[in-house]
Amino acid sequence: MFKLQSIRAKLTALAVLALSMVALTAIAGWWASEQLSEAARANLTSASAIKHQKEADMMHDAIRSDVLAGLLALAMQDNAAVRTAKQDLTEHVAEFNTALSELQNLPLSDSIEGSVTKTLPALQSYAKAADQILNDALAGRAPDVSARGGFDAAFKTLEDTMGVLGDQIEAEALASAANTERLAAWARYGMGAVVLMAAALLLTISAFLAYG
């Protein structure tokens, strides 16, 4: 009877130990999963930021193309083409604003948010200069030196601002990717270490219970 109780006690101890090891492994797995999920969200944010920044950069060049197209149409006395250029300008400015708004809605760093904030007035100045030139073209007037110079200066200012923004987003995306790789490595090593420790502990205590 005493021997049976002793065996039962050992089996109970083994069961408790096994459940403890399972719980420990599950906790380690949960921690690794949470860390990797957070890293994945950061990578997704970086990818979205790059996408919207590239869209804004494309619109920066598209607006200049609209102005050049309008001036060419004016030189050719093609009023329909000038109107088309003006419509395209309106659409591209709207898309530019949308891209920046999408960037502002992302959970980005303070430095990137600051650069986006600086980009907005630069875009407004650029769009206003472009709009003035095409409005003159619609009226059959070629832009004067001041208007063209103002447009070129606004283009350069926005280009510089967008360049800083793009560099910041790219740097944070690379840092996020590197952090994900580190977390993935830690997760693999951590899970492996927990499993090995759990197995070693389980074998040690099992042997102690069997021969103790």
Side-chain angles (χ1 to χ4, degrees), residues 64-79:
R64 188 182 193 186
S65 296
D66 296 335
V67 170
L68 295 177
L71 293 177
L72 177 61
L74 175 63
M76 299 178 64
Q77 298 183 346
D78 187 346
N79 292 333

Side-chain angles (χ1 to χ4, degrees), residues 55-56 59 63 89-105 116 119-121 123-124 127:
E55 289 173 346
M59 293 306 103
I63 290 171
L89 172 64
T90 301
E91 293 175 3
H92 292 149
V93 170
E95 290 179 28
F96 204 146
N97 278 307
T98 297
L100 293 182
S101 295
E102 293 293 339
L103 272 176
Q104 287 183 308
N105 291 332
V116 174
T119 302
L120 290 171
L123 169 59
Q124 291 174 357

Side-chain angles (χ1 to χ4, degrees), residues 56-66 96 126 155 159:
D57 196 44
M58 289 173 60
M59 293 306 103
H60 171 246
D61 292 330
I63 290 171
R64 188 182 193 186
S65 296
D66 296 335
F96 204 146
Y126 182 49
F155 174 85
E159 182 178 49

